[in-house]
Amino acid sequence: MDRSSTSTRISGWFRSAPRRRARPVAALATSLVVASLTAAPSAQAAADRSASVACPPNLAEQATCYTGQDTNGAAYAIAVPHAWNGSLVMHAHGGPDLGAGSDPSRSVDDLERWSVMVDEGYAWAGSSYRRGGYGTRMAAADTETLRRLFVAEFGKPRRTYVHGQSWGGNVAAKVVETYGRKHGPYDGALLTSGVLGGGSRGYDYRVDLRVVYQYYCRNHPRPGEPQYPLWEGLRADSTMTSAGLRARLQECTGFASAPEERTAQQQRNLDDILAVTKIPERTLESHLRFATFTFRDIVHSRLGGRNPFGNRGVRYSGSHDDKALNAGVERFSADPTAVRDLSYDSDLTGRVAIPVLTLHAIDDPTAFVEHEAAYRAALTGAHRQGHLVQTFTEESEHSGLSDSEYAASVSALDTWARTGRKPTPRSLAASCPAFDRAYGTGCFYDPDFHPDSYAARVEPRPGGLHWPAMTGAQERSWSRIEGVGIAP
């Protein structure tokens, strides 16, 4: 890394907002650039400092990019704009990915995907985490490790914000609660499309999907295959692939076929599954993948085969025959120690001390907008709701919202942190058109929207109506138990 040029950039921080420019749709990176960005750093670079590499094409002319690997083995990517405003956005990626090790391409892909932060003048740093698989506290710790590494190499930023998307929203919210003390290293958080219900409750609708699917389809597992309790997601030694799961889903529901090409039984199965679980048809496959492969990771790789999920007492409704469904669906109770460990790892206490701004599509088909109601209830339960502003848009996507909205959001968060001037949903909506003149991706805010309670979308389990799911006192108590949580 060119330390002298870095020092020059730091000493020349811009003291006014950087000029925004229109950014074309990102081109696919050439194989040469991708190889450069994702190649493992040399042993010296890994042990010493980040290596300068080519930036993604949409940042090639406006930033210097670096990759490396931290002391825990987590690959990372960093971008520092030539016109750096002196502040840093730490990014927490979604998922979780299920590979064994840290995937260098993950942080690089997200740098290209959220290059709007760099366009707005912020340095950007994202960790790929030290391993694949579930582990919210681990991911939060790796994000904090990268922040410290950035400070060691580039100096302390004026302000530092943490951004998380999807499961990364859960990770970033955990960063806020673990490291975001008043006058601490983080000045604010932007949580977008966040899975904010936490692990012990935030996946109940996927538990319901897993059992309802099996009731109608009887092919996951098939009667002649080795049987296992459905809370496992998939047996530990199964060789099933995503393609194999897709084939079974198609066999049962015809979901990938035009309606007129489905059999009557396939259409009835599909209608019943969607009506009971309230899962959108277009994301049915992705939710079933999570309830299969990620559940297997949580149960077998992280919790030692213990069950953190339950559905006893849940009454399923909306099918053509609810009585038969409720009599025939598989039932099970969670292991309290497994619930405790998953809760400690991923649930949120609501105890925040810095500004938190959220952005969520009303019709998000993956992280339902009711996750936002759960998060507000958690902060309200901890008497910290004054630190929260939530905004909603009339979009129907999960993985990426409008760049104009991201730019407006990070600007409003920065103003809030600097001046104490708290934004409102209406002020965010009013500010967005100025950013849209640069990005042209649209502004879709609905400042009057308020989500229904989480229980309105997902059938609550016993005790599941009270938030936060894990209180600060529970967190402190559990932290004293040796081995509690999910190992890094």
Side-chain angles (χ1 to χ4, degrees), residues 83-397:
W84 186 15
N85 65 13
S87 293
L88 169 66
V89 172
M90 296 298 307
H91 174 78
H93 78 65
D97 298 329
L98 298 181
S102 179
D103 179 6
S105 67
R106 186 57 196 256
S107 54
V108 173
D109 290 345
D110 277 7
L111 169 57
E112 183 170 14
R113 190 171 163 196
W114 277 285
S115 57
V116 59
M117 304 297 182
V118 182
D119 288 344
E120 287 300 300
Y122 294 87
W124 186 98
S127 172
S128 292
Y129 312 146
R130 71 190 74 177
R131 61 159 170 79
Y134 202 86
T136 307
R137 285 183 182 269
M138 172 203 72
D142 289 343
T143 301
E144 168 61 8
T145 295
L146 179 55
R147 184 199 65 79
R148 295 180 184 184
L149 185 152
F150 183 97
V151 171
E153 294 195 10
F154 297 92
K156 183 179 178 181
R158 287 176 178 169
R159 282 167 293 278
T160 300
Y161 305 110
V162 60
H163 168 243
Q165 174 90 6
S166 189
W167 177 61
N170 191 184
V171 174
K174 186 66 72 174
V175 169
V176 169
E177 294 187 359
T178 306
Y179 308 104
R181 63 189 180 277
K182 190 174 182 180
H183 305 304
Y186 295 92
D187 297 279
L190 174 61
L191 312 180
T192 60
S193 307
V195 180
L196 301 175
S200 73
R201 298 179 188 174
Y203 306 130
D204 281 345
Y205 56 95
R206 286 165 170 159
V207 174
D208 295 337
L209 171 61
R210 190 67 182 85
V211 300
V212 170
Y213 175 87
Q214 183 63 4
Y215 171 78
Y216 288 111
C217 298
R218 311 288 182 186
N219 68 0
H220 187 24
R222 300 184 191 279
E225 294 176 331
Q227 302 296 294
Y228 53 88
L230 297 181
W231 50 261
E232 291 186 7
L234 191 63
R235 70 180 196 275
D237 59 351
S238 174
T239 59
M240 178 184 283
T241 63
S242 293
L245 179 62
R246 178 182 175 84
R248 296 188 187 211
L249 178 59
Q250 171 67 10
E251 171 192 293
C252 176
T253 68
F255 82 106
S257 301
E260 62 271 16
E261 296 174 352
R262 297 169 188 153
T263 67
Q265 188 60 56
Q266 284 177 328
Q267 188 64 60
R268 170 171 273 193
N269 289 342
L270 182 60
D271 290 344
D272 279 341
I273 291 168
L274 297 179
V276 172
T277 63
K278 302 184 182 75
I279 288 174
E281 183 174 341
R282 65 193 174 106
T283 52
L284 176 61
E285 182 187 3
S286 64
H287 284 291
L288 189 59
R289 279 201 309 268
F290 193 105
T292 299
F293 301 109
T294 306
F295 277 16
R296 176 171 66 175
D297 175 78
I298 291 172
V299 169
H300 290 292
S301 300
R302 312 302 157 202
L303 296 176
R306 292 172 295 145
N307 173 26
F309 306 121
N311 69 336
R312 293 198 186 279
V314 174
R315 186 180 186 282
Y316 298 105
S317 61
S319 73
H320 76 277
D321 189 343
D322 290 348
K323 182 177 180 180
L325 171 63
N326 282 284
V329 74
E330 184 174 320
R331 303 280 183 175
F332 39 80
S333 297
D335 178 334
T337 66
V339 175
R340 176 203 65 194
D341 287 354
L342 182 58
S343 179
Y344 181 75
D345 180 76
S346 60
D347 282 345
L348 301 169
T349 66
R351 295 181 62 81
V352 304
I354 60 176
V356 178
L357 176 63
T358 74
L359 174 68
H360 214 119
I362 294 170
D363 194 26
D364 187 325
T366 300
F368 303 147
V369 73
E370 289 81 8
H371 275 275
E372 295 286 343
Y375 190 56
R376 174 165 287 281
L379 267 67
T380 300
H383 307 291
R384 302 296 177 89
Q385 66 270 27
H387 294 287
L388 177 65
V389 173
Q390 294 176 298
T391 62
F392 303 95
T393 71
E394 296 174 339
E395 291 168 281
S396 56
E397 298 303 325

Side-chain angles (χ1 to χ4, degrees), residues 8 62 136 226 290 413:
T8 300
Q62 62 191 100
T136 307
F290 193 105
L413 179 64

